[in-house]
Amino acid sequence: WRWIVGLDNSTADRAMAKNRHDSELQRDNVMLQGLVISDCRRLFKSAPSIVHPRQSRRQLGIAGHGPAARQELLELAMREVVDFPVMRH
């Protein structure tokens, strides 16, 4: 079995925070990424490979970056996986 766990909303492809709101969003993203990595280690008994979001999107045939590319990736996942879990706030 091979599992792919993705967290595309990473700070790796974002500009530096310019204000407090952006800084808090980036902090939240880093915390979420840490939780996902920790859960992957616990569930799969191995550390996940971290791939830059732009590289992972390129492997799936999605060009570009930013919110439009992330939306395109989400739509692809929802199309390909029938019960794909989505969190919206």
Side-chain angles (χ1 to χ4, degrees), residues 19-82:
N19 55 45
R20 182 179 175 154
H21 181 260
D22 288 348
S23 179
E24 289 173 354
L25 286 175
Q26 286 190 0
R27 185 195 72 219
D28 292 345
N29 283 336
V30 168
M31 288 173 48
L32 179 59
Q33 186 174 5
L35 290 171
V36 169
I37 290 170
S38 174
D39 283 348
C40 285
R41 285 184 181 142
R42 183 176 56 81
L43 293 170
F44 305 120
K45 307 296 187 232
S46 66
S49 299
I50 309 290
V51 178
H52 192 284
R54 200 172 301 148
Q55 181 182 357
S56 66
R57 287 191 297 261
R58 193 177 316 127
Q59 289 175 349
L60 295 170
I62 298 173
H65 61 281
R70 287 193 290 277
Q71 183 65 35
E72 188 177 347
L73 180 61
L74 175 63
E75 290 168 1
L76 174 67
M78 290 189 307
R79 236 184 0 259
E80 295 293 322
V81 180
V82 177

